[in-house]
Amino acid sequence: TQLLEQSPQFLSIQEGENLTVYCNSSSVFSSLQWYRQEPGEGPVLLVTVVTGGEVKKLKRLTFQFGDARKDSSLHITAAQPGDTGLYLCAGARYSGAGSYQLTFGKGTKLSVIP
Amino acid sequence: EAGVAQSPRYKIIEKRQSVAFWCNPISGHATLYWYQQILGQGPKLLIQFQNNGVVDDSQLPKDRFSAERLKGVDSTLKIQPAKLEDSAVYLCASSLGPGFYSGNTIYFGEGSWLTVV
């Protein structure tokens, strides 16, 4: 069973459209992060949300952490071809001995068609 | 600022052979991670170091995988003997300290691509 479920797995949209990607879990996280990964590269951190209900904006990207800190969403306004990539959410949980472990979802592969 | 360096970039080996990957984290980063990313999945933590000590290796298959960070800087990840299911990208990452909060960014390397045939 996947700890973090991301949906949709694949998304292909036209340039200029809006989209929302979801990250859901039955577990509570101390924080949640969103990454973007392009082919042949490592993930790049976009944002970290910590407080339940928190909303953060990064240009055309809006990130929201659920009130119960179990889920999150990423909304992109007026998508551009440069937004194409794999979007990964990752939840942090305390794993003991002062250590936190980051668990990733499978990702949403976004293609924005010019 | 230089990023996380990894080598080799690509490696093809036969099953039951051994392979080693090297990682040089960003200067000054005390925390170093090795993740395994199988095609179509998100990265999975294998091991986390704080300086030269292991913080979390609960998901490391210790019968075949080993990792070390002897001087608290560079790290190596070894697989011996390799299995077909070890085919994946091995990502090294580093951060100033442990924890996942705003202000403590984790930086990933480009990864080492392993194919076991």
Side-chain angles (χ1 to χ4, degrees), chain A residues 5-60:
Chain A
E5 297 284 349
Q6 286 192 242
S7 62
Q9 283 189 54
F10 303 95
L11 189 56
S12 182
I13 61 171
Q14 292 292 131
E15 182 177 358
E17 292 184 348
N18 302 331
L19 68 113
T20 302
V21 173
Y22 299 93
C23 176
N24 295 299
S25 177
S26 57
S27 298
V28 177
F29 297 105
S30 59
S31 65
L32 194 136
Q33 300 185 323
W34 284 92
Y35 291 80
R36 187 168 126 219
Q37 185 175 24
E38 300 199 34
E41 298 182 10
V44 175
L45 180 66
L46 295 174
V47 77
T48 300
V49 284
V50 178
T51 308
E54 183 176 2
V55 176
K56 280 192 174 179
K57 292 192 176 183
L58 187 65
K59 296 182 180 178
R60 295 175 293 99

Side-chain angles (χ1 to χ4, degrees), chain A residues 31 33 35 37 40-45 48-50 56 86 88 92 95 97-107, chain B residues 9 35 37 40-45 48 55-56 58-59 91 98-102 104-111 113:
Chain A
S31 65
Q33 300 185 323
Y35 291 80
Q37 185 175 24
E41 298 182 10
V44 175
L45 180 66
T48 300
V49 284
V50 178
K56 280 192 174 179
L86 179 68
L88 294 157
S95 58
S99 169
Y100 286 80
Q101 189 175 104
L102 197 64
T103 301
F104 283 82
K106 286 188 175 183
Chain B
R9 192 85 165 86
Y35 283 86
Q37 186 173 22
Q41 297 186 21
K44 183 184 89 171
L45 179 70
Q48 177 181 340
V55 173
D56 187 344
S58 58
Q59 299 186 96
L91 294 162
F100 305 97
Y101 53 87
S102 297
N104 188 41
T105 301
I106 302 167
Y107 295 91
F108 282 84
E110 292 183 318
W113 295 63

